Structure formats: C-alpha cells, structure tokens
Amino acid sequence: MDHRPWFDHYEKNTPKTIEIPELTLPQILDNTAKKWPNQRATIFEGAIISYKQLASYVDRLAGFLVSKGLKTGDRVAIQMPNLPQTIIAYYGVLRAGGVAVMVNPMYVAREIEHQLNDAEVKFAIVMDAYWVNLIKPIRDKLMLEHIVVTALADFLPFPKNLLFPLVGKKTGLVVSVEREANVYQLKEIIENRALKPPAMPSDPDATANLQYSGGTTGVSKAAVLSHRNLVSNAYQVQSWFTGMEEGKEVELAALPFFHVFGLTVCMNFGILAGAAQVLVPNPRDIKGMVNLIKKYRPTIFPAVPAMFNAINNFPGIEKIDISSIKGCFSGSAPLPIEVLERFETLTGGIITEGFGMTESSPVTHANPLHGLRKPGSIGIPLPNTDAKIVDLEEGTKEMPIGEDGELILYGPQVMSGYWNREDETELTIRNGWLYSGDIAQMDEDGYFYIVGRKKDMIIAGGYNIYPREIDEILYEHPKVLEAAAIGVPHETRGETVKVFIVVQPGETLTAEEVIEFCRERLAPYKVPRLVEFRDELPKSTIGKVLRRVLRDEELAKSK
Amino acid sequence: MENAEGIVDFAPVNDVIKGNVEVTIRPVVPDDAALIAGLFNSLSPESIYNRFLSPMRRASPELLDRATKFDCDVEFALIACIPGPDGCHAIGVGRFKCCGPDRAEAAIVVADAWQRKGLATLILRYLAKAAVQRGIYWFDSTIDPNNKKLLKFAEAVGFKGTTKYCDGLLSMETDVLKLFLKPQEC
C-alpha cells in the first residue's frame, strides 16, 4: 500500500503491514495449545480449563459432529452466553469443518426461526434452557436434525456444580432435558476419549461464520466470514495491542461471543494471544464483574461504553483495586470523554476507541493505544486496512479532507458477501471495497470521524437495529393505526429505540401495552424504551412517512 | 376541455403495456376509494414499504380519503385500470402534489403482478404531461436506495440523487420536461 496519512501516527512497534499466516481458526488454537498447554484458557466461576484441555474437548466435539454426519460447510447454530462451552462449541464446529451460526440468546422464537431457517441449520449446540424453552417448541418449523445441549452447571467447579441446580431452578436457568433421539449432552461428548477428530481444516478461504446482523428489509441477514477474515482481524487487533505479552495476559471476556465484537476481540484474539479468558456470562451483573476484576486481575478489557460507565459508577469503586487493567478497546457506540477519563483514572490503563462492522470481522479502525488519541474519532485504519471517504451519490469520487462522504473499507477482514443475498452484496461490496453505509470524514492526520448514517439503522449498545423490523411488529397490533420507530441519543448505549404510535380511532392503548407486545416478539435490545402517542405521523405531501422529522424533533429536545 | 383555472383536464386514455395488455388511465375521482383499497390489498409488503416508507398493513379510511379527495389545484392523481371479473380493476396509481412554485413530489405504485411491464413509466409520462400543464417543471421523490430495483427504475427514467441520505433515504429529482419528452421503457 502507498503511503497513507495515518501511517505517521502508527506506534513505533506497529508495522504498516503485518504478515498474516495462511491458517484456519482451529489451527490457531492448536498452535496456542502446543505453545502454552498449561496456560489457563478459560476461567469460569473458579473453574479453570487449560489450553491443552480446551483443544482436546474441541477435538472430541469435532469427532462427534462428524460421526453424526456433519459435512464440510454445514451450518451449526450455537446459542449460549459466554461459557467455556461456547468456546468449545465454536472451535469444535470449525474443527469439524462446519460453519458457525452464532445465535443471540436474547432472541425470541420468531427471530430464531428466521435465522436457523435462513442458514439452513441442521445441527445446533445450545444451552439446555434455550433448547427446552425456545427451540424445542418450534422444532417442527426448523430443519434441525441433531441437537447438542449443555447445562450452565456443566463446567462449574465443585461444589458449585451441585448447588447451582438447586438455586438455578428458581431463575429458569436449570431445566430438565428429556432423553430423546438426536439430542445429546455436550458433557458426555467431551468426556468420551474414544472420539477422534477429523483431519485439521486448513483452507483459510473456507467459510467460518454466517454472522447475522439486522437487515434493511426487516429481517436479519448473514455476513459470510471466512477463516482468513477472522484470523486476519485477530492478528490485526493483536498488532494494535502493543505492550501485551503472548501467553501471559488475562482478558476479561464480558463482550458476548455471539456478537462479532466479542467473537474476535475477546474470543479469537484471546486464543491467538494465549490469554486466559475470564468469562462473564452476564455483563449486566456489574458487582460480579467488579469481583472478577479484583480476583483475577485482568490486563485486557474489551468493552462497550455502557460497561465502562457502569464500572465507573459502581458504589465504592474508588476503594477497589482495578489497576491490573492495562488496555481496553471500546467500540459499538461513541465513548463519552468523561467516561473514558474516569475509567482511565480508576485503572491507570488506556482505552482505545475503535470502529468495526459485522461485515469486516469487525475491526477496521482504532486510536493508537500509546499514540495520538483524538476524542470523537474512531481512529485510524489498522494494518493491512485501507479506507476512503467517497461521494454519497455514486461512491466513486474520493472526497477532500474534512468533507462528508461514505466510508469505504478494504482489507483481509472484509467479508466476501451476504449469505444468499446477491442484491445486497452487490450494493455493499464493490471491487472488493466494503461500502459501510456510514457517513464520515477524514482529517489531515488520517483520523476518521463518523458524522451520520446512510442506512436507516439504530445502533443501541452495539446491536444493529433496523426500525422497519420494529415498525412491522407494531403494525401487527390490532389497535395500532400507524407506527414509526427511530433511534434517539442515549448517554451510554449510543442510541435507544423510541416509537411513535397513532392509535386506531375509538381505541385506547398504553405505553406499557406497546412495550409488552414488543417484548413478546423482539429480542430485548430491540424493544422500545420510549413510546409516544400522536394524532398523526409526519408525512410528505404525498403521504410518505417522514422519520427524519421525528428524529429532528427529538434531537432538538435533547439540545 | 378546460377547468376554471385554465388547466386542461386529463381525458381518459387507453394504452398498451408489455404483454399486449390494454390499460385505461384516467384521473382519480372520489368514488375510487374501493378500487384503490383493492390495489393496496394486492400489494406485497415490499411495494407498500416503497410507496409509503412504512410497513403499514391496511389502507385506513383516512388514507383512502387522502388518496381520492384532494385539492385539484395542487394535487393530481391518475389510476390505471384493466377490466376485471366484477368490473374495473386498479393495477396502478400515480400522483403528484405541489411542494413549490414549479415543483411537486411524485409517487407511483404498481400492483406486484403488473410490475416490469412499462406501466410505471407510462403513468409517469402522463403525470408529467399533466404537471407541465400546471407549471410544474420538477418532480421530487424520496426513495429507499437499498431497493436496487426501484433505484434503477428511478435513474432510468431520469431521476438523479440530489443528496442527503437522511435516515437512509435518498432524495431524487428530475426535470419534468425531460421526463415527458424522453420517456424510457422500464
């Protein structure tokens, strides 16, 4: 790549271009397990799994999946919070030559049905409670043939493994799974030493993930991410975290692995770096998270602004030693400067703010950890990544410094396209460049700034939400005449969902009813937090609904 | 025939679209509510979204009122019909409404089964003719640019993006005269 303005701001130890080996993700795990067999791979509620153990569990699961007929390229759904089993399942699927379809545990039946059928999933590895409560009731509508289940307690240490089932029943996290054909227990599989793995997958261009994200037409679509995409991004992230030592770091894995941010920046990067991952299955439990920091002294903490903010505001945090944290990566929403400053004061560590998309595995930009960090900027492109600002209309003319345009991206982490969505792929990938749909500017130093969005999308707490999906659900309500969802600014989630409703004449409806209706049909992060009733929605002269008027009104109110 | 404002009224015309199907195109009248409701009900969710930029499910009485009872000085609408088993059957509607001295917002919707037969272009051409008679020289339209089919159609008939992707939408405009004089088959 020719010289780019941002190269001048790379840290001394960060090369402009890094060499990315021709490896698959299971080969990365294999290498790490050979280099640091006894290093802790996962720490979960006090239970430790070493890299050597992790690799052997992965091998056994892969052997099992192949014995049940899994073929190279077959899709396997994985639905779990951050547990040791999630890593075993993910790497087990890839080790078997399968393609992982990570399913958000917050999804409701309607969303699960769409995703599993869109990906034509025949195998699933899921937490037992999700199997019993979410998937089994809709099994007739799915193509599932083999289901591997795991209990939350499966990897708890003694005596928690015995106590948890007693406590967990009240929370719905412990369920009884009936013995039935084609439903298997993960614990039994990984204890079966007779299971032998198939040949190690070695094609970096094979698909690793169908990574789902919202869709403009109201249903989610999948980015096809290859091993090369994901391996590249793990190496790129590693090159950015200067000052970290392989095989020695401890990472607080609070970002969910089913989300591409957690998948790469926590799980895959952690495995590449031989880090010990302290698993946080419920990142909303701030007390639990603070205790984990105290106890295991993590050095790396990738997170979203809401997590940094919650720790900043944890009662008595000033008296708790959280100084082990050296480096943090913040993404998914703008990080308020006061949140950054307080967290850095509390920890003595550094937060680098970055940018990524599901379609780019995800990280493309970040501020240098030990270099010039510009508040409000997403930073500069990572090694091997090129970026441009182009005109909004045609997307062909490069814009001058400081002018608005669409951010486009190029690099080994960019997806090949969307799964079974040729039209959308054609719009999004042009000559190998990923058209982000974000309106951005670049300054004279090569730092990028997001200033708007070309897509009608809400990003709340790192999740992409398309207003049309929410509108469609609202229009299903018999008392709703008209509805429109928009994103409104939120201090730590970036944005949150607000809906405007026009009630059918003669009917009454409350905000609580609207929220409850949505809660039954949408994952919690999509459920509107705010509801406003109106006599009519703003429309253009010929009746097109004008969401922007609603958004402008909200922005004016917040100023 | 001219109305009180000196505007030439639009006489119903018969024209032929792809498949050698004859359609009648005439101005919308207040009695057309049932025909337009029938058209709405035949539309796919995608077509409804493209027309209203909202996934509405039903044509409310308010919507039908707005579609059929309007101030003819500032708004004009055409309906395309074919003979059906129970009389006439609407397969497309196009309209414009003034939003400036020489400018109007325009929109067309065609029943899914009748798309890609040149009907939208035909309606647009007649709308353009009526617009010029009213001193309208620019048509504006707001579309979802993610809809490639619609974007291609708009560009092929002469609409150009005027900027501002606002909330994901693209504002487009076209010189009505150009549209009227050089219709493209789409």
Side-chain angles (χ1 to χ4, degrees), chain A residues 240-472:
Chain A
W240 213 250
F241 274 108
T242 52
M244 303 290 166
E245 285 187 81
E246 281 195 11
K248 290 192 176 162
E249 305 297 339
V250 178
E251 184 183 45
L252 189 63
L255 291 172
F257 294 151
F258 65 81
H259 189 283
V260 70
F261 189 15
L263 181 90
T264 290
V265 183
C266 283
M267 180 161 60
N268 293 340
F269 160 64
I271 286 176
L272 173 67
Q277 301 194 32
V278 180
L279 303 179
V280 181
N282 177 15
R284 285 191 184 81
D285 173 12
I286 303 303
K287 189 179 172 190
M289 195 143 71
V290 169
N291 283 338
L292 289 175
I293 299 174
K294 261 185 352 193
K295 192 165 178 188
Y296 297 107
R297 307 203 43 81
T299 53
I300 307 170
F301 181 32
V304 294
M307 291 180 190
F308 295 120
N309 189 52
I311 292 174
N312 282 349
N313 293 308
F314 184 74
I317 191 70
E318 296 85 354
K319 291 176 196 143
I320 300 170
D321 181 7
I322 56 170
S323 65
S324 61
I325 295 171
K326 292 189 289 187
C328 302
F329 192 102
S330 177
S332 86
L335 180 66
I337 185 79
E338 59 278 10
V339 175
L340 177 142
E341 284 172 353
R342 177 162 163 80
F343 193 83
E344 290 192 342
T345 306
L346 285 168
T347 59
I350 298 167
I351 304 181
T352 177
E353 198 173 353
F355 172 83
M357 298 174 67
T358 304
E359 292 82 349
S360 56
S361 305
V363 190
T364 62
H365 287 67
N367 280 278
L369 207 58
H370 302 102
L372 175 63
R373 290 183 292 157
K374 295 197 180 189
S377 166
I378 57 168
I380 54 182
L382 299 191
N384 304 33
T385 307
D386 205 355
K388 285 183 198 171
I389 304 292
V390 295
D391 69 285
L392 290 170
E393 287 74 34
E394 304 289 330
T396 50
K397 195 181 78 190
E398 211 167 330
M399 301 302 287
I401 281 170
E403 285 193 25
D404 286 2
E406 182 171 1
L407 171 63
I408 65 170
L409 306 153
Y410 188 91
Q413 71 271 53
V414 170
M415 67 166 186
S416 55
Y418 293 112
W419 171 252
N420 287 345
R421 302 276 200 285
E422 274 175 35
D423 268 20
E424 297 223 30
T425 301
E426 243 178 79
L427 281 173
T428 310
I429 303 282
R430 291 187 243 163
N431 298 322
W433 285 82
L434 168 64
Y435 280 68
S436 71
D438 283 301
I439 301 172
Q441 294 176 355
M442 185 182 81
D443 70 14
E444 62 284 358
D445 293 324
Y447 281 67
F448 287 74
Y449 301 80
I450 301 292
V451 296
R453 212 169 285 147
K454 204 169 147 184
K455 293 178 282 192
D456 191 9
M457 186 169 78
I458 301 165
I459 304 182
Y463 294 108
N464 295 356
I465 305 167
Y466 285 86
R468 185 167 164 190
E469 184 179 5
I470 301 167
D471 290 357
E472 282 179 359

Side-chain angles (χ1 to χ4, degrees), chain A residues 164-184:
Chain A
F164 181 75
L166 305 173
V167 187
K169 273 209 167 135
K170 288 180 196 159
T171 59
L173 289 171
V174 173
V175 293
S176 323
V177 178
E178 286 171 33
R179 287 263 165 198
E180 58 184 300
N182 302 332
V183 176
Y184 320 93

